[in-house]
Amino acid sequence: YKRIAEMPGDVADKVSKAIIEGVGLGRNPNAIARDITRAFGGSLTDAMRMTRTAQIYGYREASRANYVANSDIVTGWVWNSALQPGRTCMSCVAMHGTEHPLSEPLNDHYNGLCTMVPMVIGGRNPVTEGGEEWFKQQPEGVQRKMMGDAKFEAWKEGKFSIGDMTGTRTDDVYGVMRGEVSLKDLVGVDTVSMDLS
């Protein structure tokens, strides 16, 4: 609501109601975003990013609340990334398979595809292969596509590890969010800064 409230006039209230109604009806974020765009003439990209992020964040927090309510069985959660070349950023690759306490939200970036997988008492990490291990098994073409040529070359030269590629920043609505660290921040080479979009 804080992000939506930045919209002018009564638009914020109408957009909030459209999101709540769409989520309640189980509608896809793309369909909700199209309705908002048609009704208010806003940017489809912004509407989709806002809708997806709010909807997914709400689902994640509801899942985490369920885990907390069942903390006699659920001891924590594991970060599970989509691991889809071209759709998964290197921050999410680095986080894939990491274990977290119930008190910690999954602080993915805008439009994030990642999910939480519960860990139960006496159970093992349900993610059998970490993101770094998965990435190292990919063909060079996939690795280059996911990192970009400059990052790939620096990584191959051992200038940083996969784990170094995840960083955080504070968003005024969602709080701490994760995102991919820029090559400049990793090794001092000037390139595009951390992208959390």
Side-chain angles (χ1 to χ4, degrees):
Y1 290 122
K2 185 175 178 182
R3 176 78 61 210
I4 293 168
E6 295 173 0
M7 297 176 157
D10 65 344
V11 172
D13 186 50
K14 291 178 181 176
V15 169
S16 296
K17 287 178 182 174
I19 291 173
I20 291 169
E21 179 180 325
V23 171
L25 293 172
R27 297 190 65 214
N28 180 302
N30 293 341
I32 298 169
R34 276 193 299 275
D35 291 346
I36 292 169
T37 301
R38 274 195 293 271
F40 305 108
S43 161
L44 180 59
T45 301
D46 288 342
M48 288 175 67
R49 181 179 60 240
M50 185 185 318
T51 303
R52 283 180 187 147
T53 303
Q55 191 170 353
I56 301 287
Y57 184 84
Y59 288 152
R60 284 187 194 125
E61 284 299 280
S63 293
R64 191 167 66 88
N66 188 23
Y67 299 164
V68 169
N70 292 285
S71 59
D72 57 324
I73 300 168
V74 181
T75 59
W77 58 271
V78 176
W79 191 296
N80 187 51
S81 297
L83 297 181
Q84 296 178 4
R87 295 196 66 198
T88 303
C89 75
M90 292 306 299
S91 173
C92 293
V93 170
M95 294 304 295
H96 181 73
T98 57
E99 298 179 11
H100 303 267
L102 294 177
S103 59
E104 183 181 334
L106 191 153
N107 57 348
D108 203 358
H109 50 77
Y110 283 91
N111 288 329
L113 300 172
C114 297
T115 60
M116 296 180 288
V117 178
M119 290 186 63
V120 297
I121 291 175
R124 295 183 186 163
N125 184 328
V127 175
T128 57
E129 180 179 59
E132 183 167 357
E133 292 76 26
W134 174 84
F135 186 77
K136 288 179 177 177
Q137 294 175 27
Q138 301 309 302
E140 181 177 320
V142 169
Q143 293 173 340
R144 279 185 183 276
K145 179 179 181 182
M146 292 182 74
M147 279 188 174
D149 289 332
K151 274 187 184 173
F152 175 80
E153 293 300 335
W155 173 67
K156 288 300 276 185
E157 292 171 12
K159 294 184 177 178
F160 58 86
S161 69
I162 300 297
D164 295 331
M165 296 186 74
T166 184
T168 60
R169 74 167 177 91
T170 302
D171 181 82
D172 59 349
V173 172
Y174 293 100
V176 176
M177 296 181 86
R178 289 207 163 270
E180 188 173 327
V181 177
S182 72
L183 183 57
K184 180 180 181 181
D185 290 337
L186 287 166
V187 297
V189 175
D190 194 14
T191 188
V192 179
S193 60
M194 187 160 87
D195 182 9
L196 298 178
S197 59

